[in-house]
Amino acid sequence: MRKPLIVGNWKMNNTTAESVDLTEKLKRLIKDMAVVEVVVAPPFTSLDKVRDAIKGSNIKLGAQNLFWEDKGAYTGEVSPLMIRDLDCEYVIIGHSERREYFKESDEIINKKIKAALRNKLKAIVCVGESLKEREEDKTMQVIESQVKKGLQGLSLSEAKELIIAYEPVWAIGTGRNATPAQANEVHTYIRKLLSQIFNEGIASNIKILYGGSVKPSNSAELMSEKEIDGALVGGASLEADSFAEIVRSACMV
Ligand code: PEP
């Protein structure tokens, strides 16, 4: 039985004061929803303050990115050690915005995943096809390539710390979401790939989240699909009320 997981990706939003304010509101709203695992991923600059604000609550901390080396001359980068030092348990890797704007390849993503796992961080690995790829009927091909290259060389014990987020690029921040059936079809395929790469037992325990314009109005329907174990939420995680509604919908499954 996979416990539902809802992750809020705040992206490049919120000053430290705004981050704390949002966290405090969220804490109050979801305090009775422990059946769901809840993670917030604030910008790096807010991690320290949010870490303090979530103490004693059922909210966990995640980072939005990391560098693949533990330390060194890499101006502007943030290492897995630094993220762990702030009590982060999770890190998002390979988000489509990083793939697109920062040209992160599957090879880079693979190095980042290994760095996260080596440092005992749970890696939330994002995969997803573009609109053009979906229209050309290449969705499964793209997913297969991203999953296989991204997860190359991981041991079975490392695989236990993985979470996959299926995020069709055409659905991120666009208000257009995949239908529950479309998402479930890709999730089923991802789980099949995970059984091939690792084994069935490991694959059946890896959570697969859906991301792409998840809102209170569509979350229950998405979450009711068998292979959808939760959500990676962007825009709707910036409002405590809407994020809490999404968490509530995951309590029902
Ligand atoms: C995301 O950033 O991972 C995301 C899914 O964003 P949104 O919910 O805004 O589409």
Side-chain angles (χ1 to χ4, degrees):
M1 182 64 188
R2 299 180 294 267
K3 184 174 179 173
L5 169 64
I6 306 292
V7 182
N9 173 14
W10 296 359
K11 309 195 185 187
M12 199 176 70
N13 292 292
N14 291 337
T15 61
T16 51
E18 288 164 347
S19 296
V20 171
D21 187 50
L22 175 56
T23 308
E24 295 295 347
K25 285 186 184 138
L26 189 60
K27 250 166 67 173
R28 279 195 295 275
L29 290 168
I30 66 164
K31 66 177 186 314
D32 300 322
M33 303 187 198
V35 291
V36 177
E37 200 170 339
V38 178
V39 176
V40 293
F44 287 131
T45 48
S46 291
L47 284 174
D48 186 31
K49 291 269 192 268
V50 173
R51 181 252 312 253
D52 294 341
I54 59 177
K55 278 198 180 119
S57 77
N58 50 350
I59 303 173
K60 294 177 178 163
L61 196 58
Q64 297 175 20
N65 183 29
L66 85 181
F67 191 64
W68 61 78
E69 295 291 347
D70 290 350
K71 61 179 175 177
Y74 302 103
T75 304
E77 292 295 332
V78 176
S79 91
L81 285 183
M82 296 165 184
I83 291 170
R84 270 240 60 106
D85 186 45
L86 291 168
D87 297 335
C88 282
E89 289 181 50
Y90 294 81
V91 59
I92 299 170
I93 299 176
H95 191 282
S96 67
E97 287 152 15
R98 300 225 45 102
R99 290 180 190 261
E100 185 185 347
Y101 304 135
F102 304 98
K103 305 289 168 245
E104 288 192 10
S105 62
D106 291 315
E107 289 68 31
I108 288 177
I109 289 161
N110 179 253
K111 285 207 243 181
K112 291 188 171 194
I113 295 169
K114 287 178 175 161
L117 299 173
R118 181 175 77 233
N119 284 284
K120 308 283 176 246
L121 288 158
K122 293 190 173 75
I124 303 172
V125 181
C126 305
V127 296
E129 80 287 0
S130 66
L131 183 58
K132 185 165 176 286
E133 289 160 344
R134 177 158 281 267
E135 285 172 349
E136 288 172 357
D137 218 8
K138 292 190 179 141
T139 299
M140 300 309 184
Q141 200 181 314
V142 170
I143 296 296
E144 177 168 351
S145 166
Q146 290 178 344
V147 169
K148 286 191 171 163
K149 289 181 183 162
L151 305 186
Q152 197 168 13
L154 299 188
S155 68
L156 295 184
S157 65
E158 284 176 322
K160 291 182 185 153
E161 305 304 322
L162 286 174
I163 291 138
I164 309 292
Y166 168 55
E167 298 209 303
V169 179
W170 48 272
I172 298 178
T174 58
R176 251 186 98 173
N177 63 289
T179 63
Q182 277 174 326
N184 199 58
E185 186 190 15
V186 179
H187 284 220
T188 304
Y189 185 62
I190 293 173
R191 200 168 306 283
K192 185 174 136 203
L193 291 171
L194 295 172
S195 328
Q196 289 166 3
I197 301 169
F198 304 112
N199 63 45
E200 217 170 297
I202 300 267
S204 67
N205 282 315
I206 296 178
K207 291 176 194 178
I208 307 178
L209 312 180
Y210 168 76
S213 298
V214 175
K215 312 183 267 294
S217 58
N218 60 22
S219 57
E221 205 189 354
L222 284 159
M223 238 79 80
S224 67
E225 290 289 338
K226 183 169 170 280
E227 291 296 340
I228 301 183
D229 302 317
L232 178 52
V233 186
S237 71
L238 294 172
E239 286 280 331
D241 288 319
S242 56
F243 191 61
E245 275 313 301
I246 293 169
V247 176
R248 185 181 302 282
S249 69
C251 293
M252 321 290 183
V253 293

PDB file of all heavy atoms in Angstrom, residues 117-152:
ATOM      1  N   LEU A 117      20.732  10.443  -3.844  1.00  0.00           N
ATOM      2  CA  LEU A 117      20.581   9.161  -3.137  1.00  0.00           C
ATOM      3  C   LEU A 117      21.797   8.846  -2.275  1.00  0.00           C
ATOM      4  O   LEU A 117      21.669   8.337  -1.166  1.00  0.00           O
ATOM      5  CB  LEU A 117      20.306   8.046  -4.149  1.00  0.00           C
ATOM      6  CG  LEU A 117      19.011   8.238  -4.967  1.00  0.00           C
ATOM      7  CD1 LEU A 117      18.898   7.182  -6.051  1.00  0.00           C
ATOM      8  CD2 LEU A 117      17.776   8.228  -4.084  1.00  0.00           C
ATOM      9  N   ARG A 118      22.977   9.215  -2.785  1.00  0.00           N
ATOM     10  CA  ARG A 118      24.215   9.023  -2.025  1.00  0.00           C
ATOM     11  C   ARG A 118      24.167   9.803  -0.705  1.00  0.00           C
ATOM     12  O   ARG A 118      24.750   9.423   0.282  1.00  0.00           O
ATOM     13  CB  ARG A 118      25.356   9.534  -2.918  1.00  0.00           C
ATOM     14  CG  ARG A 118      26.742   9.444  -2.403  1.00  0.00           C
ATOM     15  CD  ARG A 118      27.752   9.872  -3.471  1.00  0.00           C
ATOM     16  NE  ARG A 118      27.841  11.315  -3.660  1.00  0.00           N
ATOM     17  CZ  ARG A 118      27.726  11.938  -4.829  1.00  0.00           C
ATOM     18  NH1 ARG A 118      27.517  11.269  -5.947  1.00  0.00           N
ATOM     19  NH2 ARG A 118      27.828  13.250  -4.902  1.00  0.00           N
ATOM     20  N   ASN A 119      23.429  10.894  -0.731  1.00  0.00           N
ATOM     21  CA  ASN A 119      23.336  11.754   0.449  1.00  0.00           C
ATOM     22  C   ASN A 119      22.018  11.575   1.205  1.00  0.00           C
ATOM     23  O   ASN A 119      21.587  12.455   1.942  1.00  0.00           O
ATOM     24  CB  ASN A 119      23.519  13.215   0.037  1.00  0.00           C
ATOM     25  CG  ASN A 119      24.974  13.522  -0.245  1.00  0.00           C
ATOM     26  OD1 ASN A 119      25.769  13.660   0.671  1.00  0.00           O
ATOM     27  ND2 ASN A 119      25.341  13.577  -1.522  1.00  0.00           N
ATOM     28  N   LYS A 120      21.366  10.435   0.971  1.00  0.00           N
ATOM     29  CA  LYS A 120      20.155  10.063   1.721  1.00  0.00           C
ATOM     30  C   LYS A 120      19.005  11.045   1.530  1.00  0.00           C
ATOM     31  O   LYS A 120      18.219  11.314   2.443  1.00  0.00           O
ATOM     32  CB  LYS A 120      20.451   9.917   3.230  1.00  0.00           C
ATOM     33  CG  LYS A 120      21.622   9.010   3.527  1.00  0.00           C
ATOM     34  CD  LYS A 120      21.226   7.540   3.380  1.00  0.00           C
ATOM     35  CE  LYS A 120      22.386   6.594   3.564  1.00  0.00           C
ATOM     36  NZ  LYS A 120      22.785   5.841   2.388  1.00  0.00           N
ATOM     37  N   LEU A 121      18.930  11.608   0.335  1.00  0.00           N
ATOM     38  CA  LEU A 121      17.769  12.437  -0.017  1.00  0.00           C
ATOM     39  C   LEU A 121      16.858  11.610  -0.925  1.00  0.00           C
ATOM     40  O   LEU A 121      17.354  10.888  -1.799  1.00  0.00           O
ATOM     41  CB  LEU A 121      18.220  13.685  -0.789  1.00  0.00           C
ATOM     42  CG  LEU A 121      18.950  14.746   0.026  1.00  0.00           C
ATOM     43  CD1 LEU A 121      19.796  15.625  -0.892  1.00  0.00           C
ATOM     44  CD2 LEU A 121      17.952  15.601   0.811  1.00  0.00           C
ATOM     45  N   LYS A 122      15.552  11.716  -0.732  1.00  0.00           N
ATOM     46  CA  LYS A 122      14.625  11.019  -1.628  1.00  0.00           C
ATOM     47  C   LYS A 122      14.505  11.859  -2.894  1.00  0.00           C
ATOM     48  O   LYS A 122      14.251  13.065  -2.833  1.00  0.00           O
ATOM     49  CB  LYS A 122      13.259  10.873  -0.970  1.00  0.00           C
ATOM     50  CG  LYS A 122      13.275   9.954   0.234  1.00  0.00           C
ATOM     51  CD  LYS A 122      11.843   9.667   0.686  1.00  0.00           C
ATOM     52  CE  LYS A 122      11.808   8.622   1.776  1.00  0.00           C
ATOM     53  NZ  LYS A 122      12.229   9.127   3.091  1.00  0.00           N
ATOM     54  N   ALA A 123      14.707  11.203  -4.040  1.00  0.00           N
ATOM     55  CA  ALA A 123      14.723  11.935  -5.316  1.00  0.00           C
ATOM     56  C   ALA A 123      13.355  11.859  -5.993  1.00  0.00           C
ATOM     57  O   ALA A 123      12.850  10.770  -6.254  1.00  0.00           O
ATOM     58  CB  ALA A 123      15.788  11.337  -6.221  1.00  0.00           C
ATOM     59  N   ILE A 124      12.771  13.021  -6.251  1.00  0.00           N
ATOM     60  CA  ILE A 124      11.501  13.087  -6.997  1.00  0.00           C
ATOM     61  C   ILE A 124      11.886  13.383  -8.443  1.00  0.00           C
ATOM     62  O   ILE A 124      12.250  14.515  -8.792  1.00  0.00           O
ATOM     63  CB  ILE A 124      10.586  14.197  -6.442  1.00  0.00           C
ATOM     64  CG1 ILE A 124      10.314  13.971  -4.951  1.00  0.00           C
ATOM     65  CG2 ILE A 124       9.282  14.274  -7.246  1.00  0.00           C
ATOM     66  CD1 ILE A 124       9.587  15.114  -4.256  1.00  0.00           C
ATOM     67  N   VAL A 125      11.864  12.364  -9.267  1.00  0.00           N
ATOM     68  CA  VAL A 125      12.391  12.472 -10.632  1.00  0.00           C
ATOM     69  C   VAL A 125      11.254  12.767 -11.614  1.00  0.00           C
ATOM     70  O   VAL A 125      10.311  11.981 -11.732  1.00  0.00           O
ATOM     71  CB  VAL A 125      13.084  11.147 -11.026  1.00  0.00           C
ATOM     72  CG1 VAL A 125      13.652  11.246 -12.433  1.00  0.00           C
ATOM     73  CG2 VAL A 125      14.173  10.785 -10.017  1.00  0.00           C
ATOM     74  N   CYS A 126      11.367  13.909 -12.295  1.00  0.00           N
ATOM     75  CA  CYS A 126      10.280  14.318 -13.210  1.00  0.00           C
ATOM     76  C   CYS A 126      10.548  13.857 -14.636  1.00  0.00           C
ATOM     77  O   CYS A 126      11.669  14.005 -15.149  1.00  0.00           O
ATOM     78  CB  CYS A 126      10.151  15.834 -13.230  1.00  0.00           C
ATOM     79  SG  CYS A 126       9.908  16.550 -11.608  1.00  0.00           S
ATOM     80  N   VAL A 127       9.518  13.321 -15.247  1.00  0.00           N
ATOM     81  CA  VAL A 127       9.587  12.933 -16.661  1.00  0.00           C
ATOM     82  C   VAL A 127       8.300  13.406 -17.334  1.00  0.00           C
ATOM     83  O   VAL A 127       7.283  13.577 -16.672  1.00  0.00           O
ATOM     84  CB  VAL A 127       9.743  11.398 -16.853  1.00  0.00           C
ATOM     85  CG1 VAL A 127      11.053  10.890 -16.283  1.00  0.00           C
ATOM     86  CG2 VAL A 127       8.569  10.637 -16.228  1.00  0.00           C
ATOM     87  N   GLY A 128       8.376  13.611 -18.644  1.00  0.00           N
ATOM     88  CA  GLY A 128       7.143  14.018 -19.337  1.00  0.00           C
ATOM     89  C   GLY A 128       7.417  14.445 -20.757  1.00  0.00           C
ATOM     90  O   GLY A 128       8.513  14.928 -21.074  1.00  0.00           O
ATOM     91  N   GLU A 129       6.422  14.266 -21.594  1.00  0.00           N
ATOM     92  CA  GLU A 129       6.560  14.572 -23.018  1.00  0.00           C
ATOM     93  C   GLU A 129       6.051  15.980 -23.338  1.00  0.00           C
ATOM     94  O   GLU A 129       5.212  16.512 -22.620  1.00  0.00           O
ATOM     95  CB  GLU A 129       5.794  13.527 -23.853  1.00  0.00           C
ATOM     96  CG  GLU A 129       4.278  13.729 -23.969  1.00  0.00           C
ATOM     97  CD  GLU A 129       3.499  13.420 -22.695  1.00  0.00           C
ATOM     98  OE1 GLU A 129       4.099  13.046 -21.678  1.00  0.00           O
ATOM     99  OE2 GLU A 129       2.249  13.574 -22.720  1.00  0.00           O
ATOM    100  N   SER A 130       6.552  16.546 -24.436  1.00  0.00           N
ATOM    101  CA  SER A 130       6.053  17.847 -24.897  1.00  0.00           C
ATOM    102  C   SER A 130       4.758  17.635 -25.683  1.00  0.00           C
ATOM    103  O   SER A 130       4.409  16.493 -26.026  1.00  0.00           O
ATOM    104  CB  SER A 130       7.099  18.516 -25.797  1.00  0.00           C
ATOM    105  OG  SER A 130       7.234  17.733 -26.982  1.00  0.00           O
ATOM    106  N   LEU A 131       4.113  18.721 -26.010  1.00  0.00           N
ATOM    107  CA  LEU A 131       2.862  18.620 -26.784  1.00  0.00           C
ATOM    108  C   LEU A 131       3.134  17.999 -28.158  1.00  0.00           C
ATOM    109  O   LEU A 131       2.415  17.116 -28.619  1.00  0.00           O
ATOM    110  CB  LEU A 131       2.241  20.019 -26.940  1.00  0.00           C
ATOM    111  CG  LEU A 131       0.897  20.068 -27.652  1.00  0.00           C
ATOM    112  CD1 LEU A 131      -0.137  19.204 -26.939  1.00  0.00           C
ATOM    113  CD2 LEU A 131       0.385  21.503 -27.749  1.00  0.00           C
ATOM    114  N   LYS A 132       4.228  18.463 -28.766  1.00  0.00           N
ATOM    115  CA  LYS A 132       4.579  17.945 -30.096  1.00  0.00           C
ATOM    116  C   LYS A 132       4.795  16.427 -30.030  1.00  0.00           C
ATOM    117  O   LYS A 132       4.302  15.681 -30.876  1.00  0.00           O
ATOM    118  CB  LYS A 132       5.858  18.654 -30.567  1.00  0.00           C
ATOM    119  CG  LYS A 132       6.295  18.320 -31.952  1.00  0.00           C
ATOM    120  CD  LYS A 132       7.341  19.339 -32.426  1.00  0.00           C
ATOM    121  CE  LYS A 132       7.892  18.992 -33.785  1.00  0.00           C
ATOM    122  NZ  LYS A 132       8.812  17.859 -33.776  1.00  0.00           N
ATOM    123  N   GLU A 133       5.507  15.997 -28.999  1.00  0.00           N
ATOM    124  CA  GLU A 133       5.773  14.557 -28.860  1.00  0.00           C
ATOM    125  C   GLU A 133       4.480  13.777 -28.645  1.00  0.00           C
ATOM    126  O   GLU A 133       4.303  12.687 -29.192  1.00  0.00           O
ATOM    127  CB  GLU A 133       6.755  14.319 -27.701  1.00  0.00           C
ATOM    128  CG  GLU A 133       8.168  14.785 -28.053  1.00  0.00           C
ATOM    129  CD  GLU A 133       9.078  15.026 -26.856  1.00  0.00           C
ATOM    130  OE1 GLU A 133       8.595  15.137 -25.701  1.00  0.00           O
ATOM    131  OE2 GLU A 133      10.287  15.145 -27.065  1.00  0.00           O
ATOM    132  N   ARG A 134       3.556  14.335 -27.868  1.00  0.00           N
ATOM    133  CA  ARG A 134       2.272  13.630 -27.673  1.00  0.00           C
ATOM    134  C   ARG A 134       1.517  13.567 -28.992  1.00  0.00           C
ATOM    135  O   ARG A 134       0.992  12.510 -29.364  1.00  0.00           O
ATOM    136  CB  ARG A 134       1.425  14.309 -26.587  1.00  0.00           C
ATOM    137  CG  ARG A 134       0.065  13.637 -26.425  1.00  0.00           C
ATOM    138  CD  ARG A 134      -0.598  13.873 -25.092  1.00  0.00           C
ATOM    139  NE  ARG A 134      -0.091  13.062 -24.015  1.00  0.00           N
ATOM    140  CZ  ARG A 134      -0.598  11.880 -23.623  1.00  0.00           C
ATOM    141  NH1 ARG A 134      -1.630  11.350 -24.255  1.00  0.00           N
ATOM    142  NH2 ARG A 134      -0.076  11.228 -22.618  1.00  0.00           N
ATOM    143  N   GLU A 135       1.497  14.696 -29.692  1.00  0.00           N
ATOM    144  CA  GLU A 135       0.738  14.711 -30.956  1.00  0.00           C
ATOM    145  C   GLU A 135       1.343  13.768 -31.992  1.00  0.00           C
ATOM    146  O   GLU A 135       0.646  13.244 -32.845  1.00  0.00           O
ATOM    147  CB  GLU A 135       0.664  16.145 -31.497  1.00  0.00           C
ATOM    148  CG  GLU A 135      -0.338  16.957 -30.693  1.00  0.00           C
ATOM    149  CD  GLU A 135      -0.357  18.444 -31.017  1.00  0.00           C
ATOM    150  OE1 GLU A 135       0.558  18.928 -31.729  1.00  0.00           O
ATOM    151  OE2 GLU A 135      -1.257  19.132 -30.547  1.00  0.00           O
ATOM    152  N   GLU A 136       2.644  13.570 -31.892  1.00  0.00           N
ATOM    153  CA  GLU A 136       3.296  12.640 -32.837  1.00  0.00           C
ATOM    154  C   GLU A 136       3.275  11.204 -32.317  1.00  0.00           C
ATOM    155  O   GLU A 136       3.962  10.339 -32.845  1.00  0.00           O
ATOM    156  CB  GLU A 136       4.750  13.089 -33.079  1.00  0.00           C
ATOM    157  CG  GLU A 136       4.840  14.348 -33.912  1.00  0.00           C
ATOM    158  CD  GLU A 136       6.263  14.902 -34.001  1.00  0.00           C
ATOM    159  OE1 GLU A 136       7.184  14.340 -33.367  1.00  0.00           O
ATOM    160  OE2 GLU A 136       6.443  15.912 -34.710  1.00  0.00           O
ATOM    161  N   ASP A 137       2.513  10.993 -31.241  1.00  0.00           N
ATOM    162  CA  ASP A 137       2.360   9.643 -30.676  1.00  0.00           C
ATOM    163  C   ASP A 137       3.680   9.058 -30.146  1.00  0.00           C
ATOM    164  O   ASP A 137       3.919   7.862 -30.256  1.00  0.00           O
ATOM    165  CB  ASP A 137       1.781   8.730 -31.779  1.00  0.00           C
ATOM    166  CG  ASP A 137       0.781   7.763 -31.191  1.00  0.00           C
ATOM    167  OD1 ASP A 137       0.460   7.934 -30.002  1.00  0.00           O
ATOM    168  OD2 ASP A 137       0.361   6.821 -31.904  1.00  0.00           O
ATOM    169  N   LYS A 138       4.506   9.959 -29.598  1.00  0.00           N
ATOM    170  CA  LYS A 138       5.814   9.494 -29.109  1.00  0.00           C
ATOM    171  C   LYS A 138       5.891   9.484 -27.589  1.00  0.00           C
ATOM    172  O   LYS A 138       6.987   9.375 -27.017  1.00  0.00           O
ATOM    173  CB  LYS A 138       6.909  10.415 -29.638  1.00  0.00           C
ATOM    174  CG  LYS A 138       7.122  10.320 -31.136  1.00  0.00           C
ATOM    175  CD  LYS A 138       8.376  11.089 -31.518  1.00  0.00           C
ATOM    176  CE  LYS A 138       8.618  10.988 -33.003  1.00  0.00           C
ATOM    177  NZ  LYS A 138       9.096  12.249 -33.566  1.00  0.00           N
ATOM    178  N   THR A 139       4.751   9.634 -26.919  1.00  0.00           N
ATOM    179  CA  THR A 139       4.765   9.767 -25.457  1.00  0.00           C
ATOM    180  C   THR A 139       5.531   8.631 -24.774  1.00  0.00           C
ATOM    181  O   THR A 139       6.460   8.870 -23.997  1.00  0.00           O
ATOM    182  CB  THR A 139       3.320   9.837 -24.910  1.00  0.00           C
ATOM    183  OG1 THR A 139       2.708  10.987 -25.483  1.00  0.00           O
ATOM    184  CG2 THR A 139       3.286   9.959 -23.397  1.00  0.00           C
ATOM    185  N   MET A 140       5.161   7.391 -25.072  1.00  0.00           N
ATOM    186  CA  MET A 140       5.767   6.263 -24.350  1.00  0.00           C
ATOM    187  C   MET A 140       7.258   6.141 -24.667  1.00  0.00           C
ATOM    188  O   MET A 140       8.061   5.805 -23.801  1.00  0.00           O
ATOM    189  CB  MET A 140       5.036   4.950 -24.673  1.00  0.00           C
ATOM    190  CG  MET A 140       3.560   4.963 -24.307  1.00  0.00           C
ATOM    191  SD  MET A 140       3.256   5.505 -22.600  1.00  0.00           S
ATOM    192  CE  MET A 140       1.483   5.272 -22.490  1.00  0.00           C
ATOM    193  N   GLN A 141       7.609   6.459 -25.911  1.00  0.00           N
ATOM    194  CA  GLN A 141       9.019   6.418 -26.326  1.00  0.00           C
ATOM    195  C   GLN A 141       9.851   7.428 -25.507  1.00  0.00           C
ATOM    196  O   GLN A 141      10.931   7.108 -25.029  1.00  0.00           O
ATOM    197  CB  GLN A 141       9.013   6.817 -27.801  1.00  0.00           C
ATOM    198  CG  GLN A 141      10.199   6.444 -28.610  1.00  0.00           C
ATOM    199  CD  GLN A 141       9.973   6.972 -30.045  1.00  0.00           C
ATOM    200  OE1 GLN A 141       8.889   6.817 -30.630  1.00  0.00           O
ATOM    201  NE2 GLN A 141      10.986   7.606 -30.585  1.00  0.00           N
ATOM    202  N   VAL A 142       9.307   8.644 -25.371  1.00  0.00           N
ATOM    203  CA  VAL A 142      10.013   9.700 -24.628  1.00  0.00           C
ATOM    204  C   VAL A 142      10.132   9.305 -23.158  1.00  0.00           C
ATOM    205  O   VAL A 142      11.195   9.424 -22.539  1.00  0.00           O
ATOM    206  CB  VAL A 142       9.249  11.054 -24.766  1.00  0.00           C
ATOM    207  CG1 VAL A 142       9.802  12.110 -23.820  1.00  0.00           C
ATOM    208  CG2 VAL A 142       9.289  11.539 -26.198  1.00  0.00           C
ATOM    209  N   ILE A 143       9.032   8.802 -22.607  1.00  0.00           N
ATOM    210  CA  ILE A 143       9.029   8.406 -21.190  1.00  0.00           C
ATOM    211  C   ILE A 143      10.050   7.283 -20.969  1.00  0.00           C
ATOM    212  O   ILE A 143      10.838   7.318 -20.021  1.00  0.00           O
ATOM    213  CB  ILE A 143       7.604   7.944 -20.760  1.00  0.00           C
ATOM    214  CG1 ILE A 143       6.599   9.093 -20.863  1.00  0.00           C
ATOM    215  CG2 ILE A 143       7.615   7.328 -19.355  1.00  0.00           C
ATOM    216  CD1 ILE A 143       6.845  10.263 -19.959  1.00  0.00           C
ATOM    217  N   GLU A 144      10.047   6.324 -21.855  1.00  0.00           N
ATOM    218  CA  GLU A 144      10.976   5.188 -21.708  1.00  0.00           C
ATOM    219  C   GLU A 144      12.425   5.676 -21.711  1.00  0.00           C
ATOM    220  O   GLU A 144      13.237   5.296 -20.867  1.00  0.00           O
ATOM    221  CB  GLU A 144      10.745   4.174 -22.838  1.00  0.00           C
ATOM    222  CG  GLU A 144      11.727   3.028 -22.751  1.00  0.00           C
ATOM    223  CD  GLU A 144      11.374   1.842 -23.649  1.00  0.00           C
ATOM    224  OE1 GLU A 144      10.271   1.817 -24.218  1.00  0.00           O
ATOM    225  OE2 GLU A 144      12.222   0.954 -23.772  1.00  0.00           O
ATOM    226  N   SER A 145      12.718   6.557 -22.642  1.00  0.00           N
ATOM    227  CA  SER A 145      14.088   7.051 -22.748  1.00  0.00           C
ATOM    228  C   SER A 145      14.469   7.858 -21.490  1.00  0.00           C
ATOM    229  O   SER A 145      15.551   7.668 -20.918  1.00  0.00           O
ATOM    230  CB  SER A 145      14.180   7.878 -24.027  1.00  0.00           C
ATOM    231  OG  SER A 145      15.339   8.611 -24.028  1.00  0.00           O
ATOM    232  N   GLN A 146      13.581   8.745 -21.036  1.00  0.00           N
ATOM    233  CA  GLN A 146      13.896   9.566 -19.854  1.00  0.00           C
ATOM    234  C   GLN A 146      14.056   8.685 -18.604  1.00  0.00           C
ATOM    235  O   GLN A 146      14.967   8.883 -17.804  1.00  0.00           O
ATOM    236  CB  GLN A 146      12.800  10.611 -19.613  1.00  0.00           C
ATOM    237  CG  GLN A 146      12.784  11.710 -20.673  1.00  0.00           C
ATOM    238  CD  GLN A 146      11.660  12.713 -20.457  1.00  0.00           C
ATOM    239  OE1 GLN A 146      10.718  12.469 -19.707  1.00  0.00           O
ATOM    240  NE2 GLN A 146      11.738  13.837 -21.143  1.00  0.00           N
ATOM    241  N   VAL A 147      13.176   7.705 -18.462  1.00  0.00           N
ATOM    242  CA  VAL A 147      13.242   6.836 -17.270  1.00  0.00           C
ATOM    243  C   VAL A 147      14.514   5.991 -17.314  1.00  0.00           C
ATOM    244  O   VAL A 147      15.279   5.954 -16.344  1.00  0.00           O
ATOM    245  CB  VAL A 147      11.968   5.952 -17.163  1.00  0.00           C
ATOM    246  CG1 VAL A 147      12.152   4.863 -16.107  1.00  0.00           C
ATOM    247  CG2 VAL A 147      10.737   6.798 -16.838  1.00  0.00           C
ATOM    248  N   LYS A 148      14.766   5.354 -18.443  1.00  0.00           N
ATOM    249  CA  LYS A 148      15.933   4.453 -18.507  1.00  0.00           C
ATOM    250  C   LYS A 148      17.244   5.213 -18.354  1.00  0.00           C
ATOM    251  O   LYS A 148      18.132   4.791 -17.617  1.00  0.00           O
ATOM    252  CB  LYS A 148      15.919   3.657 -19.808  1.00  0.00           C
ATOM    253  CG  LYS A 148      14.856   2.561 -19.789  1.00  0.00           C
ATOM    254  CD  LYS A 148      15.012   1.617 -20.955  1.00  0.00           C
ATOM    255  CE  LYS A 148      14.094   0.412 -20.784  1.00  0.00           C
ATOM    256  NZ  LYS A 148      13.890  -0.325 -22.037  1.00  0.00           N
ATOM    257  N   LYS A 149      17.370   6.344 -19.045  1.00  0.00           N
ATOM    258  CA  LYS A 149      18.635   7.097 -18.938  1.00  0.00           C
ATOM    259  C   LYS A 149      18.775   7.748 -17.560  1.00  0.00           C
ATOM    260  O   LYS A 149      19.858   7.776 -16.984  1.00  0.00           O
ATOM    261  CB  LYS A 149      18.706   8.175 -20.020  1.00  0.00           C
ATOM    262  CG  LYS A 149      18.897   7.598 -21.405  1.00  0.00           C
ATOM    263  CD  LYS A 149      18.988   8.717 -22.416  1.00  0.00           C
ATOM    264  CE  LYS A 149      19.101   8.168 -23.826  1.00  0.00           C
ATOM    265  NZ  LYS A 149      18.772   9.178 -24.836  1.00  0.00           N
ATOM    266  N   GLY A 150      17.686   8.262 -17.047  1.00  0.00           N
ATOM    267  CA  GLY A 150      17.729   8.946 -15.745  1.00  0.00           C
ATOM    268  C   GLY A 150      18.096   7.991 -14.622  1.00  0.00           C
ATOM    269  O   GLY A 150      18.807   8.357 -13.690  1.00  0.00           O
ATOM    270  N   LEU A 151      17.599   6.759 -14.700  1.00  0.00           N
ATOM    271  CA  LEU A 151      17.780   5.819 -13.579  1.00  0.00           C
ATOM    272  C   LEU A 151      18.917   4.832 -13.803  1.00  0.00           C
ATOM    273  O   LEU A 151      19.096   3.901 -13.017  1.00  0.00           O
ATOM    274  CB  LEU A 151      16.467   5.055 -13.330  1.00  0.00           C
ATOM    275  CG  LEU A 151      15.218   5.917 -13.093  1.00  0.00           C
ATOM    276  CD1 LEU A 151      14.033   5.049 -12.714  1.00  0.00           C
ATOM    277  CD2 LEU A 151      15.457   6.980 -12.017  1.00  0.00           C
ATOM    278  N   GLN A 152      19.680   5.067 -14.833  1.00  0.00           N
ATOM    279  CA  GLN A 152      20.764   4.136 -15.173  1.00  0.00           C
ATOM    280  C   GLN A 152      21.770   3.972 -14.026  1.00  0.00           C
ATOM    281  O   GLN A 152      22.223   4.951 -13.432  1.00  0.00           O
ATOM    282  CB  GLN A 152      21.501   4.674 -16.393  1.00  0.00           C
ATOM    283  CG  GLN A 152      22.334   3.621 -17.041  1.00  0.00           C
ATOM    284  CD  GLN A 152      22.822   4.091 -18.406  1.00  0.00           C
ATOM    285  OE1 GLN A 152      22.737   5.256 -18.743  1.00  0.00           O
ATOM    286  NE2 GLN A 152      23.349   3.181 -19.179  1.00  0.00           N
TER     287      GLN A 152
END
